[in-house]
Amino acid sequence: MTAAHPYPPGFVWGVATSAYQIEGAANEDGRGPSIWDIFSHTPGRTANGDTGDVACDHYHRWRDDVELIASLGVDAYRFSIAWPRVQPLGQGAWNEQGLAFYDRLVDALLARGIKPHATLYHWDLPQALQDQGGWQNRETAQRFADYAAQVARRLGDRLGSIATHNEPWCTATLGHLVGKFAPGIQDAQIAAQVSHHLLLSHGLALQAMRAVGTRAPLGIVLNQSSVTAATDSEADRQKAEREYALFVRWYMDPIFKGRYPTAPGVSVYPAVHDNDFKVIGQKLDFLGINYYTRIWASSEGLPPPKPHGESDMGWENWPQGLTELLVGLKRQYGELPPIYVTENGIACADRLEGGRVADAQRIEYMRSHLAALRAAMAEGVDVRGFFYWSLLDNFEWDSGYDKRFGLVHVDYASQRRTLKDSAHWYHGHIDAARAATLNAQRPAPALAGGL
Ligand code: IFM
């Protein structure tokens, strides 16, 4: 860390997870089925037929997991609330046992000095709502706002923040266009409509949470990438423009500019009602950004050169993209709300040997991405925190348990947790960052003898 650019005072250090990926206990204490239960139990949908039935068994081990989080020296923990756990049918009756689980978790985190940051929707729609059309159905947006208000009422006074959605692009595009995520639909028009209903639900939820007087800062988490044209050909340039419009601007423009973007070759748009953009454009208290890699735009399908290698997901390691993305957003959107990097991390082919996971590749990924983040901050981007994805190895959606993103290794047979080398590195980085910030705040010592 350079003395020139210490992290600002109050910078939040955290780790992140999501409900379906870690909780397990899929059929316990009144939880209803979600679209991911149905999807993962459908043959051929996930690697090895893996499901989130048990996952990291966090629903039973949450006390130990809170201790684990505390042992990393972080300030904050980002988790998601499973909608079907607190409202099994997605409307109507609340499940008190489900609400009590998050109540206990939040209190335990606070007791250990860790700020809980909640996400309302990390992809686990109650299946009962999917049976009524899911996110294709405009009504689902209203159901989501009702759910958001209930969470805000019950937990809002104790949360460090509430994000409405995590990565709505994944729900719309991977879930309804590509079809590799739940609910497994492949239809461009439906995907566009789903993206609009997700954005609408976000705006309605902000209104509903503010109406019940929540004090927690409210925002949304978007997955974003920088985009590089493979060559300077017109075709590659246009492809880059299109990719950026579909990935980044598709969600940023409705929220901050009140419209969907246009770009060469983008022709599928959702039906929008009067007033929708006004709802979608509610003021945000923060913007969460998840960054993993860049998009390489080649009209001829040429692969990226990957000079910094790739992750076990096959995603290119491209730290510069984080600087480029954040500085670009500032240029394109002007003053944005405070930004938190709510996810950044890497899947590695980790091996537990002699009680240790020597994950040097993850450490290098974190070091280089944090340097890239500070470079963006040095250019004036207002970043207030960083959350590593993920606390634990967990259920990586269609990749099942094969891909390991955790700072903490999980042996799924025994549920034994082991801190990887990267967990120790992260702790050290956070301690050094705090010390550097304190140093920078200290007044310069008076000259001996005075002037
Ligand atoms: O595991 C996911 C997470 O659920 C959402 N963001 C990306 C991560 C890695 O793929």
Side-chain angles (χ1 to χ4, degrees):
M1 184 169 336
T2 63
H5 298 298
Y7 295 96
F11 190 86
V12 175
W13 293 99
V15 285
T17 62
S18 89
Y20 190 69
Q21 292 179 273
I22 66 163
E23 283 181 3
N27 301 309
E28 279 180 56
D29 292 345
R31 178 185 179 279
S34 81
I35 55 174
W36 266 97
D37 294 291
I38 304 303
F39 190 76
S40 65
H41 278 270
T42 306
R45 290 305 203 174
T46 64
N48 322 304
D50 289 343
T51 74
D53 285 3
V54 177
C56 305
D57 196 28
H58 171 74
Y59 189 75
H60 299 115
R61 294 167 195 266
W62 60 274
R63 271 191 204 83
D64 293 343
D65 288 341
V66 168
E67 292 307 312
L68 201 60
I69 296 165
S71 79
L72 299 175
V74 294
D75 306 297
Y77 174 54
R78 174 176 177 249
F79 64 101
S80 80
I81 294 171
W83 187 354
R85 202 179 280 293
V86 306
Q87 195 181 32
L89 299 178
Q91 57 192 324
W94 303 103
N95 178 25
E96 285 303 325
Q97 285 174 294
L99 283 161
F101 169 70
Y102 297 109
D103 209 56
R104 287 192 296 268
L105 177 65
V106 164
D107 282 348
L109 288 162
L110 289 171
R112 291 301 264 119
I114 299 160
K115 268 277 181 204
H117 291 255
T119 300
L120 296 172
Y121 189 76
H122 202 121
W123 312 347
D124 42 2
L125 187 74
Q127 179 62 32
L129 290 184
Q130 187 62 40
D131 295 340
Q132 296 169 25
W135 289 110
Q136 282 179 69
N137 181 350
R138 197 175 158 95
E139 278 298 303
T140 300
Q142 194 53 58
R143 300 288 78 75
F144 181 70
D146 298 342
Y147 154 63
Q150 176 71 338
V151 172
R153 249 184 240 115
R154 300 292 285 264
L155 304 174
D157 57 336
R158 286 166 287 158
L159 294 174
S161 73
I162 304 178
T164 53
H165 285 279
N166 181 72
E167 303 183 348
W169 177 89
C170 292
T171 300
T173 303
L174 300 183
H176 297 82
L177 174 65
V178 180
K180 69 178 200 150
F181 279 11
I185 292 167
Q186 295 180 310
D187 184 304
Q189 191 62 56
I190 291 175
Q193 200 58 50
V194 163
S195 69
H196 185 64
H197 291 159
L198 291 166
L199 283 163
L200 182 67
S201 75
H202 154 78
L204 291 171
L206 290 189
Q207 288 179 332
M209 290 191 283
R210 287 189 174 127
V212 300
T214 186
R215 287 197 301 268
L218 306 179
I220 188 169
V221 171
L222 304 174
N223 49 325
Q224 300 193 346
S225 290
S226 62
V227 180
T228 310
T231 70
D232 56 12
S233 74
E234 182 60 12
D236 284 357
R237 207 190 49 71
Q238 288 198 359
K239 187 169 168 68
E241 198 185 324
R242 182 163 58 249
E243 297 284 353
Y244 192 71
L246 291 172
F247 199 63
V248 175
R249 295 181 56 206
W250 197 263
Y251 295 90
M252 289 291 283
D253 284 17
I255 293 173
F256 296 107
K257 294 187 172 172
R259 56 172 187 256
Y260 283 102
T262 56
V266 177
S267 56
V268 182
Y269 288 88
V272 175
H273 292 200
D274 290 348
N275 212 39
D276 282 0
F277 286 123
K278 194 148 174 255
V279 175
I280 291 169
Q282 299 301 300
K283 179 182 160 295
L284 295 184
D285 299 318
F286 73 94
L287 173 64
I289 292 183
N290 297 350
Y291 175 86
Y292 287 88
T293 186
R294 69 170 160 180
I295 293 174
W296 180 256
S298 166
S299 55
E300 291 165 27
L302 298 175
K306 301 189 180 172
H308 303 289
E310 64 177 24
S311 73
D312 201 32
M313 301 292 283
W315 301 346
E316 180 186 13
N317 300 332
W318 189 251
Q320 298 93 309
L322 181 55
T323 316
E324 197 185 310
L325 169 72
L326 295 174
V327 171
L329 292 178
K330 188 175 163 61
R331 202 174 47 242
Q332 293 141 23
Y333 294 92
E335 280 314 308
L336 286 169
I339 290 174
Y340 290 80
V341 172
T342 31
E343 288 183 26
N344 174 244
I346 180 170
C348 301
D350 297 321
R351 283 202 315 272
L352 178 63
E353 282 168 339
R356 176 176 171 205
V357 178
D359 55 342
Q361 193 196 9
R362 180 170 289 105
I363 294 173
E364 174 50 23
Y365 182 96
M366 297 175 79
R367 192 202 58 70
S368 57
H369 282 76
L370 285 165
L373 181 64
R374 286 209 307 286
M377 293 164 74
E379 292 203 38
V381 181
D382 181 10
V383 183
R384 305 278 178 95
F386 174 91
F387 291 75
Y388 179 79
W389 181 272
S390 179
L391 166 68
L392 300 166
D393 292 338
N394 59 46
F395 175 75
E396 179 54 25
W397 308 111
D398 59 321
S399 304
Y401 296 98
D402 284 353
K403 305 297 176 197
R404 293 180 178 270
F405 277 88
L407 291 175
V408 178
H409 179 274
V410 177
D411 176 319
Y412 293 107
S414 64
Q415 289 294 345
R416 211 188 127 109
R417 277 83 158 129
T418 307
L419 266 61
K420 301 178 190 177
D421 284 3
S422 56
H424 299 293
W425 181 88
Y426 192 39
H427 195 163
H429 185 85
I430 294 170
D431 285 350
R434 288 191 188 124
T437 304
L438 267 183
N439 257 333
Q441 283 177 293
R442 253 184 223 130
L447 289 176
L451 287 176

PDB file of all heavy atoms in Angstrom, residues 17-18 21 78 122-123 166-167 170 181 223 290 292 313 315 343 389-390 394-397 405, ligand 1:
ATOM      1  N   THR A  17     -21.758 -13.205   0.853  1.00  0.00           N
ATOM      2  CA  THR A  17     -22.329 -14.521   0.527  1.00  0.00           C
ATOM      3  C   THR A  17     -23.752 -14.290   0.011  1.00  0.00           C
ATOM      4  O   THR A  17     -24.219 -13.157  -0.031  1.00  0.00           O
ATOM      5  CB  THR A  17     -22.466 -15.436   1.769  1.00  0.00           C
ATOM      6  OG1 THR A  17     -23.373 -14.813   2.684  1.00  0.00           O
ATOM      7  CG2 THR A  17     -21.136 -15.699   2.455  1.00  0.00           C
ATOM      8  N   SER A  18     -24.447 -15.384  -0.335  1.00  0.00           N
ATOM      9  CA  SER A  18     -25.887 -15.266  -0.590  1.00  0.00           C
ATOM     10  C   SER A  18     -26.609 -16.489  -0.041  1.00  0.00           C
ATOM     11  O   SER A  18     -25.999 -17.555   0.141  1.00  0.00           O
ATOM     12  CB  SER A  18     -26.182 -15.113  -2.081  1.00  0.00           C
ATOM     13  OG  SER A  18     -26.355 -16.372  -2.695  1.00  0.00           O
ATOM     14  N   GLN A  21     -26.739 -20.013  -1.784  1.00  0.00           N
ATOM     15  CA  GLN A  21     -25.409 -20.579  -1.982  1.00  0.00           C
ATOM     16  C   GLN A  21     -24.803 -21.156  -0.713  1.00  0.00           C
ATOM     17  O   GLN A  21     -23.885 -21.973  -0.790  1.00  0.00           O
ATOM     18  CB  GLN A  21     -24.480 -19.516  -2.570  1.00  0.00           C
ATOM     19  CG  GLN A  21     -24.878 -19.140  -3.996  1.00  0.00           C
ATOM     20  CD  GLN A  21     -23.995 -18.084  -4.601  1.00  0.00           C
ATOM     21  OE1 GLN A  21     -24.253 -16.902  -4.413  1.00  0.00           O
ATOM     22  NE2 GLN A  21     -22.964 -18.476  -5.316  1.00  0.00           N
ATOM     23  N   ARG A  78     -21.852  -9.002   4.036  1.00  0.00           N
ATOM     24  CA  ARG A  78     -22.957  -8.859   3.088  1.00  0.00           C
ATOM     25  C   ARG A  78     -23.560 -10.244   2.846  1.00  0.00           C
ATOM     26  O   ARG A  78     -22.849 -11.167   2.453  1.00  0.00           O
ATOM     27  CB  ARG A  78     -22.434  -8.252   1.781  1.00  0.00           C
ATOM     28  CG  ARG A  78     -23.454  -8.193   0.691  1.00  0.00           C
ATOM     29  CD  ARG A  78     -22.943  -7.486  -0.570  1.00  0.00           C
ATOM     30  NE  ARG A  78     -24.006  -7.562  -1.551  1.00  0.00           N
ATOM     31  CZ  ARG A  78     -23.956  -8.294  -2.666  1.00  0.00           C
ATOM     32  NH1 ARG A  78     -22.882  -8.971  -2.993  1.00  0.00           N
ATOM     33  NH2 ARG A  78     -24.998  -8.340  -3.458  1.00  0.00           N
ATOM     34  N   HIS A 122     -31.297 -12.327  -4.174  1.00  0.00           N
ATOM     35  CA  HIS A 122     -30.124 -12.929  -4.816  1.00  0.00           C
ATOM     36  C   HIS A 122     -30.604 -14.214  -5.498  1.00  0.00           C
ATOM     37  O   HIS A 122     -30.142 -15.295  -5.196  1.00  0.00           O
ATOM     38  CB  HIS A 122     -29.021 -13.170  -3.787  1.00  0.00           C
ATOM     39  CG  HIS A 122     -27.639 -13.294  -4.361  1.00  0.00           C
ATOM     40  ND1 HIS A 122     -26.592 -12.469  -4.008  1.00  0.00           N
ATOM     41  CD2 HIS A 122     -27.127 -14.144  -5.278  1.00  0.00           C
ATOM     42  CE1 HIS A 122     -25.500 -12.821  -4.665  1.00  0.00           C
ATOM     43  NE2 HIS A 122     -25.795 -13.843  -5.436  1.00  0.00           N
ATOM     44  N   TRP A 123     -31.648 -14.048  -6.329  1.00  0.00           N
ATOM     45  CA  TRP A 123     -32.065 -15.023  -7.347  1.00  0.00           C
ATOM     46  C   TRP A 123     -33.013 -16.125  -6.908  1.00  0.00           C
ATOM     47  O   TRP A 123     -33.376 -16.988  -7.710  1.00  0.00           O
ATOM     48  CB  TRP A 123     -30.856 -15.654  -8.036  1.00  0.00           C
ATOM     49  CG  TRP A 123     -29.842 -14.646  -8.488  1.00  0.00           C
ATOM     50  CD1 TRP A 123     -29.995 -13.296  -8.573  1.00  0.00           C
ATOM     51  CD2 TRP A 123     -28.499 -14.912  -8.934  1.00  0.00           C
ATOM     52  NE1 TRP A 123     -28.843 -12.705  -9.064  1.00  0.00           N
ATOM     53  CE2 TRP A 123     -27.903 -13.667  -9.287  1.00  0.00           C
ATOM     54  CE3 TRP A 123     -27.755 -16.087  -9.073  1.00  0.00           C
ATOM     55  CZ2 TRP A 123     -26.600 -13.574  -9.770  1.00  0.00           C
ATOM     56  CZ3 TRP A 123     -26.459 -15.983  -9.549  1.00  0.00           C
ATOM     57  CH2 TRP A 123     -25.888 -14.741  -9.894  1.00  0.00           C
ATOM     58  N   ASN A 166     -29.464  -8.204  -6.386  1.00  0.00           N
ATOM     59  CA  ASN A 166     -28.092  -8.521  -6.753  1.00  0.00           C
ATOM     60  C   ASN A 166     -28.069  -8.914  -8.219  1.00  0.00           C
ATOM     61  O   ASN A 166     -28.719  -9.881  -8.620  1.00  0.00           O
ATOM     62  CB  ASN A 166     -27.562  -9.703  -5.932  1.00  0.00           C
ATOM     63  CG  ASN A 166     -26.119 -10.003  -6.319  1.00  0.00           C
ATOM     64  OD1 ASN A 166     -25.227  -9.233  -5.985  1.00  0.00           O
ATOM     65  ND2 ASN A 166     -25.891 -11.068  -7.075  1.00  0.00           N
ATOM     66  N   GLU A 167     -27.341  -8.149  -9.027  1.00  0.00           N
ATOM     67  CA  GLU A 167     -27.063  -8.511 -10.417  1.00  0.00           C
ATOM     68  C   GLU A 167     -28.320  -8.850 -11.212  1.00  0.00           C
ATOM     69  O   GLU A 167     -28.486  -9.995 -11.674  1.00  0.00           O
ATOM     70  CB  GLU A 167     -26.071  -9.693 -10.467  1.00  0.00           C
ATOM     71  CG  GLU A 167     -24.771  -9.401  -9.732  1.00  0.00           C
ATOM     72  CD  GLU A 167     -23.754 -10.537  -9.832  1.00  0.00           C
ATOM     73  OE1 GLU A 167     -24.131 -11.631 -10.274  1.00  0.00           O
ATOM     74  OE2 GLU A 167     -22.591 -10.326  -9.463  1.00  0.00           O
ATOM     75  N   CYS A 170     -28.104 -10.934 -14.387  1.00  0.00           N
ATOM     76  CA  CYS A 170     -28.043 -12.414 -14.347  1.00  0.00           C
ATOM     77  C   CYS A 170     -29.455 -12.999 -14.352  1.00  0.00           C
ATOM     78  O   CYS A 170     -29.721 -13.983 -15.053  1.00  0.00           O
ATOM     79  CB  CYS A 170     -27.289 -12.894 -13.110  1.00  0.00           C
ATOM     80  SG  CYS A 170     -25.542 -12.499 -13.164  1.00  0.00           S
ATOM     81  N   PHE A 181     -29.449 -20.292 -15.970  1.00  0.00           N
ATOM     82  CA  PHE A 181     -29.837 -20.072 -14.573  1.00  0.00           C
ATOM     83  C   PHE A 181     -31.363 -20.222 -14.479  1.00  0.00           C
ATOM     84  O   PHE A 181     -32.071 -20.075 -15.481  1.00  0.00           O
ATOM     85  CB  PHE A 181     -29.460 -18.666 -14.127  1.00  0.00           C
ATOM     86  CG  PHE A 181     -28.005 -18.488 -13.720  1.00  0.00           C
ATOM     87  CD1 PHE A 181     -27.046 -19.462 -13.966  1.00  0.00           C
ATOM     88  CD2 PHE A 181     -27.598 -17.329 -13.075  1.00  0.00           C
ATOM     89  CE1 PHE A 181     -25.712 -19.296 -13.583  1.00  0.00           C
ATOM     90  CE2 PHE A 181     -26.273 -17.148 -12.689  1.00  0.00           C
ATOM     91  CZ  PHE A 181     -25.333 -18.128 -12.945  1.00  0.00           C
ATOM     92  N   ASN A 223     -23.855  -6.008 -11.567  1.00  0.00           N
ATOM     93  CA  ASN A 223     -22.585  -6.572 -12.056  1.00  0.00           C
ATOM     94  C   ASN A 223     -22.186  -5.810 -13.307  1.00  0.00           C
ATOM     95  O   ASN A 223     -23.018  -5.556 -14.180  1.00  0.00           O
ATOM     96  CB  ASN A 223     -22.665  -8.076 -12.322  1.00  0.00           C
ATOM     97  CG  ASN A 223     -23.852  -8.510 -13.145  1.00  0.00           C
ATOM     98  OD1 ASN A 223     -24.933  -7.935 -13.023  1.00  0.00           O
ATOM     99  ND2 ASN A 223     -23.658  -9.507 -13.989  1.00  0.00           N
ATOM    100  N   ASN A 290     -20.383  -5.065  -8.711  1.00  0.00           N
ATOM    101  CA  ASN A 290     -19.643  -6.324  -8.676  1.00  0.00           C
ATOM    102  C   ASN A 290     -18.780  -6.409  -9.926  1.00  0.00           C
ATOM    103  O   ASN A 290     -19.290  -6.280 -11.038  1.00  0.00           O
ATOM    104  CB  ASN A 290     -20.610  -7.517  -8.673  1.00  0.00           C
ATOM    105  CG  ASN A 290     -21.491  -7.549  -7.430  1.00  0.00           C
ATOM    106  OD1 ASN A 290     -21.269  -6.800  -6.485  1.00  0.00           O
ATOM    107  ND2 ASN A 290     -22.484  -8.432  -7.427  1.00  0.00           N
ATOM    108  N   TYR A 292     -15.678  -8.688 -11.861  1.00  0.00           N
ATOM    109  CA  TYR A 292     -14.846  -9.899 -11.909  1.00  0.00           C
ATOM    110  C   TYR A 292     -13.849  -9.886 -13.052  1.00  0.00           C
ATOM    111  O   TYR A 292     -12.721 -10.327 -12.916  1.00  0.00           O
ATOM    112  CB  TYR A 292     -15.726 -11.152 -12.033  1.00  0.00           C
ATOM    113  CG  TYR A 292     -16.442 -11.467 -10.753  1.00  0.00           C
ATOM    114  CD1 TYR A 292     -17.685 -10.902 -10.485  1.00  0.00           C
ATOM    115  CD2 TYR A 292     -15.874 -12.290  -9.799  1.00  0.00           C
ATOM    116  CE1 TYR A 292     -18.343 -11.158  -9.289  1.00  0.00           C
ATOM    117  CE2 TYR A 292     -16.514 -12.555  -8.600  1.00  0.00           C
ATOM    118  CZ  TYR A 292     -17.750 -11.984  -8.349  1.00  0.00           C
ATOM    119  OH  TYR A 292     -18.380 -12.236  -7.164  1.00  0.00           O
ATOM    120  N   MET A 313     -12.969 -20.370 -13.446  1.00  0.00           N
ATOM    121  CA  MET A 313     -14.205 -20.220 -14.233  1.00  0.00           C
ATOM    122  C   MET A 313     -13.865 -19.994 -15.706  1.00  0.00           C
ATOM    123  O   MET A 313     -14.769 -19.920 -16.549  1.00  0.00           O
ATOM    124  CB  MET A 313     -15.032 -19.011 -13.766  1.00  0.00           C
ATOM    125  CG  MET A 313     -15.474 -19.018 -12.326  1.00  0.00           C
ATOM    126  SD  MET A 313     -16.697 -20.293 -11.961  1.00  0.00           S
ATOM    127  CE  MET A 313     -18.190 -19.587 -12.626  1.00  0.00           C
ATOM    128  N   TRP A 315     -12.561 -17.114 -16.556  1.00  0.00           N
ATOM    129  CA  TRP A 315     -12.696 -15.663 -16.701  1.00  0.00           C
ATOM    130  C   TRP A 315     -11.305 -15.036 -16.652  1.00  0.00           C
ATOM    131  O   TRP A 315     -10.491 -15.360 -15.780  1.00  0.00           O
ATOM    132  CB  TRP A 315     -13.547 -15.059 -15.569  1.00  0.00           C
ATOM    133  CG  TRP A 315     -14.942 -15.610 -15.471  1.00  0.00           C
ATOM    134  CD1 TRP A 315     -15.609 -16.357 -16.404  1.00  0.00           C
ATOM    135  CD2 TRP A 315     -15.844 -15.461 -14.371  1.00  0.00           C
ATOM    136  NE1 TRP A 315     -16.865 -16.671 -15.953  1.00  0.00           N
ATOM    137  CE2 TRP A 315     -17.044 -16.125 -14.714  1.00  0.00           C
ATOM    138  CE3 TRP A 315     -15.767 -14.812 -13.138  1.00  0.00           C
ATOM    139  CZ2 TRP A 315     -18.137 -16.175 -13.861  1.00  0.00           C
ATOM    140  CZ3 TRP A 315     -16.852 -14.862 -12.284  1.00  0.00           C
ATOM    141  CH2 TRP A 315     -18.035 -15.538 -12.644  1.00  0.00           C
ATOM    142  N   GLU A 343     -18.851  -7.016  -4.718  1.00  0.00           N
ATOM    143  CA  GLU A 343     -18.268  -8.334  -5.001  1.00  0.00           C
ATOM    144  C   GLU A 343     -17.046  -8.149  -5.881  1.00  0.00           C
ATOM    145  O   GLU A 343     -17.063  -7.365  -6.831  1.00  0.00           O
ATOM    146  CB  GLU A 343     -19.232  -9.262  -5.752  1.00  0.00           C
ATOM    147  CG  GLU A 343     -20.364  -9.790  -4.934  1.00  0.00           C
ATOM    148  CD  GLU A 343     -21.248 -10.771  -5.714  1.00  0.00           C
ATOM    149  OE1 GLU A 343     -20.767 -11.414  -6.674  1.00  0.00           O
ATOM    150  OE2 GLU A 343     -22.433 -10.865  -5.366  1.00  0.00           O
ATOM    151  N   TRP A 389     -15.811 -11.528  -2.589  1.00  0.00           N
ATOM    152  CA  TRP A 389     -16.697 -12.662  -2.854  1.00  0.00           C
ATOM    153  C   TRP A 389     -15.839 -13.893  -2.982  1.00  0.00           C
ATOM    154  O   TRP A 389     -15.058 -13.979  -3.908  1.00  0.00           O
ATOM    155  CB  TRP A 389     -17.506 -12.485  -4.154  1.00  0.00           C
ATOM    156  CG  TRP A 389     -18.391 -13.681  -4.332  1.00  0.00           C
ATOM    157  CD1 TRP A 389     -18.073 -14.872  -4.974  1.00  0.00           C
ATOM    158  CD2 TRP A 389     -19.723 -13.856  -3.831  1.00  0.00           C
ATOM    159  NE1 TRP A 389     -19.113 -15.767  -4.881  1.00  0.00           N
ATOM    160  CE2 TRP A 389     -20.129 -15.168  -4.188  1.00  0.00           C
ATOM    161  CE3 TRP A 389     -20.601 -13.048  -3.097  1.00  0.00           C
ATOM    162  CZ2 TRP A 389     -21.396 -15.677  -3.848  1.00  0.00           C
ATOM    163  CZ3 TRP A 389     -21.846 -13.559  -2.764  1.00  0.00           C
ATOM    164  CH2 TRP A 389     -22.228 -14.860  -3.144  1.00  0.00           C
ATOM    165  N   SER A 390     -15.922 -14.817  -2.112  1.00  0.00           N
ATOM    166  CA  SER A 390     -16.932 -14.977  -1.095  1.00  0.00           C
ATOM    167  C   SER A 390     -16.279 -15.348   0.241  1.00  0.00           C
ATOM    168  O   SER A 390     -15.114 -15.745   0.265  1.00  0.00           O
ATOM    169  CB  SER A 390     -17.894 -16.090  -1.540  1.00  0.00           C
ATOM    170  OG  SER A 390     -18.901 -16.317  -0.573  1.00  0.00           O
ATOM    171  N   ASN A 394     -18.760 -22.180  -1.909  1.00  0.00           N
ATOM    172  CA  ASN A 394     -20.202 -22.418  -1.813  1.00  0.00           C
ATOM    173  C   ASN A 394     -20.782 -22.923  -3.121  1.00  0.00           C
ATOM    174  O   ASN A 394     -20.029 -23.215  -4.064  1.00  0.00           O
ATOM    175  CB  ASN A 394     -20.916 -21.145  -1.317  1.00  0.00           C
ATOM    176  CG  ASN A 394     -20.696 -19.958  -2.226  1.00  0.00           C
ATOM    177  OD1 ASN A 394     -20.813 -20.079  -3.448  1.00  0.00           O
ATOM    178  ND2 ASN A 394     -20.365 -18.812  -1.655  1.00  0.00           N
ATOM    179  N   PHE A 395     -22.092 -22.993  -3.179  1.00  0.00           N
ATOM    180  CA  PHE A 395     -22.808 -23.507  -4.359  1.00  0.00           C
ATOM    181  C   PHE A 395     -22.730 -22.454  -5.470  1.00  0.00           C
ATOM    182  O   PHE A 395     -23.394 -21.411  -5.380  1.00  0.00           O
ATOM    183  CB  PHE A 395     -24.267 -23.779  -3.974  1.00  0.00           C
ATOM    184  CG  PHE A 395     -25.130 -24.200  -5.136  1.00  0.00           C
ATOM    185  CD1 PHE A 395     -25.045 -25.478  -5.676  1.00  0.00           C
ATOM    186  CD2 PHE A 395     -26.049 -23.310  -5.688  1.00  0.00           C
ATOM    187  CE1 PHE A 395     -25.854 -25.860  -6.746  1.00  0.00           C
ATOM    188  CE2 PHE A 395     -26.853 -23.687  -6.763  1.00  0.00           C
ATOM    189  CZ  PHE A 395     -26.753 -24.956  -7.295  1.00  0.00           C
ATOM    190  N   GLU A 396     -21.901 -22.741  -6.476  1.00  0.00           N
ATOM    191  CA  GLU A 396     -21.694 -21.761  -7.550  1.00  0.00           C
ATOM    192  C   GLU A 396     -22.690 -22.031  -8.688  1.00  0.00           C
ATOM    193  O   GLU A 396     -22.324 -22.353  -9.808  1.00  0.00           O
ATOM    194  CB  GLU A 396     -20.235 -21.792  -8.012  1.00  0.00           C
ATOM    195  CG  GLU A 396     -19.866 -20.850  -9.147  1.00  0.00           C
ATOM    196  CD  GLU A 396     -20.220 -19.373  -8.935  1.00  0.00           C
ATOM    197  OE1 GLU A 396     -20.322 -18.925  -7.786  1.00  0.00           O
ATOM    198  OE2 GLU A 396     -20.410 -18.694  -9.963  1.00  0.00           O
ATOM    199  N   TRP A 397     -23.978 -21.975  -8.371  1.00  0.00           N
ATOM    200  CA  TRP A 397     -25.059 -22.027  -9.357  1.00  0.00           C
ATOM    201  C   TRP A 397     -24.914 -23.223 -10.309  1.00  0.00           C
ATOM    202  O   TRP A 397     -24.760 -24.330  -9.845  1.00  0.00           O
ATOM    203  CB  TRP A 397     -25.166 -20.667 -10.059  1.00  0.00           C
ATOM    204  CG  TRP A 397     -25.265 -19.549  -9.054  1.00  0.00           C
ATOM    205  CD1 TRP A 397     -24.312 -18.599  -8.786  1.00  0.00           C
ATOM    206  CD2 TRP A 397     -26.332 -19.291  -8.103  1.00  0.00           C
ATOM    207  NE1 TRP A 397     -24.733 -17.774  -7.777  1.00  0.00           N
ATOM    208  CE2 TRP A 397     -25.951 -18.165  -7.342  1.00  0.00           C
ATOM    209  CE3 TRP A 397     -27.560 -19.900  -7.832  1.00  0.00           C
ATOM    210  CZ2 TRP A 397     -26.768 -17.635  -6.328  1.00  0.00           C
ATOM    211  CZ3 TRP A 397     -28.376 -19.376  -6.833  1.00  0.00           C
ATOM    212  CH2 TRP A 397     -27.975 -18.259  -6.103  1.00  0.00           C
ATOM    213  N   PHE A 405     -14.698 -20.072  -4.630  1.00  0.00           N
ATOM    214  CA  PHE A 405     -14.415 -18.636  -4.560  1.00  0.00           C
ATOM    215  C   PHE A 405     -13.999 -18.211  -3.146  1.00  0.00           C
ATOM    216  O   PHE A 405     -13.655 -17.047  -2.939  1.00  0.00           O
ATOM    217  CB  PHE A 405     -15.669 -17.826  -4.926  1.00  0.00           C
ATOM    218  CG  PHE A 405     -15.911 -17.627  -6.400  1.00  0.00           C
ATOM    219  CD1 PHE A 405     -16.643 -18.559  -7.127  1.00  0.00           C
ATOM    220  CD2 PHE A 405     -15.431 -16.503  -7.064  1.00  0.00           C
ATOM    221  CE1 PHE A 405     -16.899 -18.371  -8.487  1.00  0.00           C
ATOM    222  CE2 PHE A 405     -15.674 -16.305  -8.419  1.00  0.00           C
ATOM    223  CZ  PHE A 405     -16.406 -17.235  -9.139  1.00  0.00           C
TER     224      PHE A 405
HETATM  225  O1  IFM B   1     -21.362 -16.672  -7.002  1.00  0.00           O
HETATM  226  C1  IFM B   1     -21.712 -15.567  -7.766  1.00  0.00           C
HETATM  227  C2  IFM B   1     -22.645 -14.663  -6.994  1.00  0.00           C
HETATM  228  O2  IFM B   1     -23.797 -15.343  -6.608  1.00  0.00           O
HETATM  229  C3  IFM B   1     -23.055 -13.479  -7.833  1.00  0.00           C
HETATM  230  N1  IFM B   1     -21.926 -12.825  -8.404  1.00  0.00           N
HETATM  231  C4  IFM B   1     -20.932 -13.636  -9.062  1.00  0.00           C
HETATM  232  C5  IFM B   1     -20.496 -14.762  -8.157  1.00  0.00           C
HETATM  233  C6  IFM B   1     -19.427 -15.622  -8.864  1.00  0.00           C
HETATM  234  O3  IFM B   1     -19.945 -16.169 -10.026  1.00  0.00           O
END
